Amino acid sequence: MALRPGVTITTQYRTYAQSEAYPIALYAKAAKTASGIQFIQSPAQAAAVFGDNTDQSPLTRLILLCLEGGATGVWAMCRTAESQTALETEFASFLATQGEFLVTDVEQQSLLIAMMEVLEEQGVRKILFAAGEASAQQINSMRCVLACPAVKWEETSTVNLAAAAAAVLVSQSSRITGGNGATMEFSGWVEEFTEAQKEEKMEQGYSVLELSGGLLTLIRGIDTCTQDELGNTDYRYFNLSTPLILDYVVGELESYLTPLCLGGATLDGIESLCAAKLMQLEQEGYLSAYGVPSAVAEESDPSCCLLTVSFTPARNIVTIQATLLVQL
């Protein structure tokens, strides 16, 4: 059985497992070419595998930022592809990593769009963080976040760390700031704040990442909804927490339903099983409400059915609706 998420509606908070840090995976150029995906847990290991911490190895710098930001380890893969076709192939293999937040040093809009299309075509539940000046409107995807302007190790550096900084902050934050297909703004490197100044920043709604070189503050995200040429609101831009909570619920449903449906299941049975799992998630505090699941036969393929679920995350008033393809 396989479930694929469909339609979603914006929600605001990541309300589940708030203390859990999402695993991060990095895909960038390195001074040394290591084969395959590597799991890095220390600065020394990063330098040994991918080269010293210089602008010649953006991957090493991204790894160090994540480790300093609190990650216990990151998956990393050296980016060797340059052309769009080669990048699509290499990036597709990178998706095998266990990281849920993917970070890249790619800034060219055409390449970012190619990577976004790979994510969507494969239907993987991962989110890509990218940096640079590419148009957020052109990267209109539920799986891609554009971070800018440049955040650097030091003033003379040319490596943009914005995407990794965004991933670290969001992975450990209970409040999601920023959104899909939209810009996340950074203040860049700042002088060391006093405790009082830091508390004041946080009271103002800033997320703060503490590093050995100072504090990096994340400014509250830009509105993720835009308007089309006729002035109508374009709701294709989703808040980042929408795929996060959707992925969690879909994953829980998939884990719960799969062994129960191996011997075949009726439409009524699938609806009942789905409702039981949603009730459990509500009791555990992840959801505040859920609708009655609906399963209908897929006309083009009798071995499949379309399962529609709707739910409201805890402490929220916005409902998410997803249409899932259930293959028995």
Side-chain angles (χ1 to χ4, degrees), residues 15 31 42 89 93 115 119 141 143 157 165 173 181 213 216 240 243 267 294 307:
T15 56
S42 70
T89 301
S93 65
M115 296 167 77
L119 283 169
S141 170
R143 297 291 163 191
S157 174
S173 174
L216 180 67
L240 180 57
L267 297 180
S294 172
L307 174 63

Side-chain angles (χ1 to χ4, degrees), residues 198-244:
K198 184 167 66 173
E199 290 179 6
E200 180 182 0
K201 282 287 185 184
M202 298 182 73
E203 288 174 358
Q204 293 173 353
Y206 290 82
S207 296
V208 178
L209 177 62
E210 295 189 60
L211 300 170
S212 60
L215 294 178
L216 180 67
T217 59
L218 173 63
I219 300 175
R220 286 159 290 188
I222 293 175
D223 186 357
T224 60
C225 289
T226 61
Q227 291 185 334
D228 61 21
E229 295 178 356
L230 300 177
N232 299 315
T233 301
D234 181 357
Y235 289 105
R236 292 176 299 172
Y237 297 89
F238 300 97
N239 184 286
L240 180 57
S241 57
T242 300
L244 293 181

Side-chain angles (χ1 to χ4, degrees), residues 265-286:
T266 64
L267 297 180
D268 289 343
I270 291 175
E271 290 176 347
S272 298
L273 293 171
C274 181
K277 186 59 181 180
L278 291 172
M279 179 185 296
Q280 178 184 340
L281 292 173
E282 182 184 38
Q283 293 172 345
E284 292 174 351
Y286 297 127

